[in-house]
Amino acid sequence: MPLSQAKVKSVSSGNSLVLASINNPTQERILNLAFVSAPRLRKEGDEPYAFQSRDFLRRLVVGKVVQFQVLYTVSPAGSKTLEFGQVKLSPTGPFLPELVVEKGWVKLRDNAGSSEYSEEANNLLEKLKAVEARAKANSEGLWGSDVEVVETTYDVSKPEEFLQEWKGQSVDAIIERVLTGDRLVVRLLLNPTKHQQIVVLIAGIRAPMSKRANPTNGKEQPAEEGGEEARMFVEERLLQRTVKVKLVGITPQTQLVAVIEHPTNGSIAPHILKAGLARCLDFHSTMLGGDMATLRQAERFAKENHHGLFKGHVGQKANGAGSSEATVSRVQSADTIYVRNKAGVEKRISLSSIRQPKPSEAGQVPFVPEAKEFLRKKVIGKHVSVQIDATRPATEGFEAREMATVTFQNKNVALMMVENGWASVIRHRRDDDDRSPIYDELLAAEEAAQKEKKGMWAGKPPTTKSYADASESVKTAKIHLSVLQRQKRIPAVVDFVKSGSRFTMLIPRENVKLTLVLSGIRSPRSARNANEKGEPFGQEAHDFAVKRCNQRDVEVDIENVDKVGGFIGTLYVNRENFARTLVEEGLATVHAYSAEQSGNSNELFSAEKRAKEGRKGIWMDWDPSKDDDQEGEGGNAIDNDTNANDDKNGADDEDTNLSKDYRDVVITNIDSESNSNIIRLKLQQIGTGTAALEEMMSAFQSFHLSPSNNTTANSYHQTTNPPKAGEYVAARYSFDKQWYRGRIRHNDREKKEAEVIYIDYGNSEKLPWTELRPLSQSPQFSTQKLKPQAIDAMLSLVQFPMQKEYLDDAKELLGELTGGGEKKLVARVDYTSDVSGGGSWGGGTPPGGVLNITLFDPTKSEDKKESINSEMIRQGLAMVPRKLKGSEKRMKDMLTSLKMLEEEAKKERRGIWEYGDLTED
């Protein structure tokens, strides 16, 4: 009979082989060695010498290509047909079962020869009988008396204790089964007579699941993509091979984790990863330490070459910018900083793969300021190296972010934070490659910090440090003044830069926070918001102060207090007087009196002279011939008493220059501009215009409700030309379904809708084109016949808050006071400003601009001081502007009255003043 060829996949006992087809490894068959039996390995207890019998055959044949011949078959009732035969190990021999009989590891069956066999089989049986007789005589294998009994345990009752005993030791083992590409049944050869069989996970990888039976119903569950390939890859290389096993850890589910090393090819994990049949498992990183880097590299190889699971992988775009040098300008949190490059461009970056103590977790909240302060002390103002690792695009509710590796003095800043317990490591998704290049080091550092109870892992929250506000009021400032005056060069931190010469300072030694005003100089004011215009070089001075001082450790000398509770003194940055630096850069002028008082006049005047000669900053157009060398009027202490001495050349007496233009009006709409504290009013002037409007609106409704005009053909969606921005239209108001005159403010061609402002009332809304009609089709209602009746207006001498909650409250109160379009009021037009905005759309604003008005309720106002303007300020929902226009400066009586009401609101802590005087900042 001809011989067949196959590869030995495994050996189940000393007389049974599992053979796999060479051309199709998934096709398998079991071949039993003819005429012999061997002791069995069983979970309930091995038969004597079962391991030695199987191990002899395992070492002899597993993984080798052999020739075999089936000599006879047996078909037990209710079972599969069993094949019995012989195996030729090489072209020249030897044969099995002859060799295993000779070594004494199998016995001839008791019933061998009881059936009729072929002549070839009978010859083999006779030969085996003779061989067995010699084995008995020589006490070989099972026939000997010196064979040691092997005790095998198949369960681990206490895996944690077992791990502690054997962790880190390299133990000889045999791979009994491959369950999946990363899960193996292993026989640990603890010593020659004691074995332990366990299930282990291959450390550092996660392979797809292979097909398996559901333990609840016995149904086969399909494999995950690549699961069968991964299992077969490992089977081919490790099944029933002798390996080295090193236990490294245990999962939360008490699964033991181990490194599996082939005797010649080393750890199997990198080979699985290179083939693209598994992914790196971050959870095991701390168990492997530095060895995890090898696995990452293997996974990267598979991705780059599109192997296995990574066939469709799209690699992350390489950052061509490389490493760049920058200076840390601000620390926003323990994981986010601002850096400024050499060109002066500032940007925000997040430290890759770490997170500050979570403000959302009660156990970590107390550590948030501590962690931020630790990072601030380490990096603020320092030169660092920045390598952008990834950029996350903006998503709903989140801005775009750049994740970077920041290095300071060859030390990774993120690693430093984690090592000291001030940050945790982000657990990235399995497919998330936007991570730190030293991610595994970060995980190891986090585990070490937790064990050593560092930082936020200490368990005990730190003592909360609170700072008393020494600049809360003049009285409070004077209480602290004597203590601070006695000290020299007080260590402090610049918490916030308000302007070029005004700062919020933290003094940890005294547990106080204060406003510091630099003595001896005056720096130009910067704009406080987008609608305010700063003085020339005010923003440059502000930016320079932020760059040099923000969040820095500094020193201060306190000299005095100003009229609003600010502390006048000297600020030392890197032991240098910052006032002198500002003056030297041309970003401040010397205030002679204040400079003399501080004792720094000589160095300040010298610095100013150098700035003038260098034509720096505010001195860029300096003309020495016109320099009268007179002292400047008003230092910073005076400067902070806002508008106290402004415009001395204005009107001398009472508001004699005010307009006497009084008008009866109705407020039809109140609205605010986005990202602004400006509240715009729309008013109708009661008189011939409103009477004409009522008459026109009656005809207007009749026209559009007429069957001849009330057709879809008149709507824009049926015309060839869509509505255009700025075009006058007839629009059907969504609230009452009536038609009104309007104008297109914005047009969305994709959605076929437009934003319409109603020109006679001032309100606006978005409407579909189907609700619009060209006003040109009814010329009798055009703006030439009756001009738009909604007029733009603003309240005089009233500045509304920037905070949205207070702004909303202000709008609500203003709506109540003005009667929601139902109450007749009197408006005094104080002046007309050139502020652009809604007027350009409403069409009712006079050519001069927006009306600045004082509103009176005739039913309540007994004199000109009792106005809606004054009520807004009395209720603390508005304030008197700190920067006045020329027309406003002449309104002296009204200014005085409103400031008194403002002081009353401050004392009563109403509205925007509920937490104190916000003008101090």
Side-chain angles (χ1 to χ4, degrees), residues 16 19 45 65 102 124 195 199 235 260 322 410 485 521 615 630 638 643 666 694 703 728 788 793 832 873-874 899:
S16 182
L19 304 178
V65 176
E102 180 183 340
L124 175 60
H195 295 175
V199 177
E235 273 187 348
I260 310 297
N410 296 320
Q485 274 182 325
I521 67 168
R615 303 297 196 278
Q630 293 179 353
I638 298 172
N643 296 315
V666 173
E694 290 178 5
F703 175 87
Y728 288 103
T832 304
I873 291 178
R874 177 186 286 112
K899 285 185 177 180

Side-chain angles (χ1 to χ4, degrees), residues 220-335:
E220 184 176 87
Q221 293 179 291
E224 295 177 352
E225 182 183 359
E228 284 301 300
E229 291 85 348
R231 181 183 61 78
M232 292 176 64
F233 181 91
V234 178
E235 273 187 348
E236 184 180 356
R237 290 156 178 79
L238 293 187
L239 184 60
Q240 288 204 336
R241 298 334 193 263
T242 301
V243 297
K244 294 285 186 181
V245 172
K246 181 168 70 175
L247 296 176
V248 294
I250 191 169
T251 70
Q253 296 77 31
T254 67
Q255 285 279 301
L256 292 166
V257 181
V259 175
I260 310 297
E261 293 187 346
H262 189 275
T264 57
N265 297 321
S267 173
I268 187 64
H271 298 282
I272 302 173
L273 289 168
K274 281 187 175 181
L277 298 173
R279 291 181 169 89
C280 286
L281 185 60
D282 296 337
F283 175 71
H284 293 173
S285 177
T286 54
M287 303 177 188
L288 292 172
D291 292 338
M292 194 71 187
T294 304
L295 302 188
R296 301 278 187 201
Q297 186 176 0
E299 183 184 52
R300 195 176 304 116
F301 174 86
K303 289 179 178 179
E304 292 171 353
N305 291 278
H306 304 286
H307 290 170
L309 302 174
F310 306 107
K311 285 181 180 178
H313 176 73
V314 178
Q316 183 182 354
K317 291 183 179 180
N319 191 328
S323 179
S324 60
E325 300 299 315
T327 302
V328 179
S329 57
R330 180 154 63 99
V331 175
Q332 178 176 312
S333 65
D335 58 15

Side-chain angles (χ1 to χ4, degrees), residues 654-663 826-831 864:
E654 213 232 313
D655 304 359
T656 55
N657 294 323
L658 288 180
S659 168
K660 298 298 187 290
D661 184 2
Y662 287 88
R663 307 178 189 180
V826 175
R828 183 184 70 212
V829 180
D830 300 317
Y831 64 95
K864 64 181 181 180

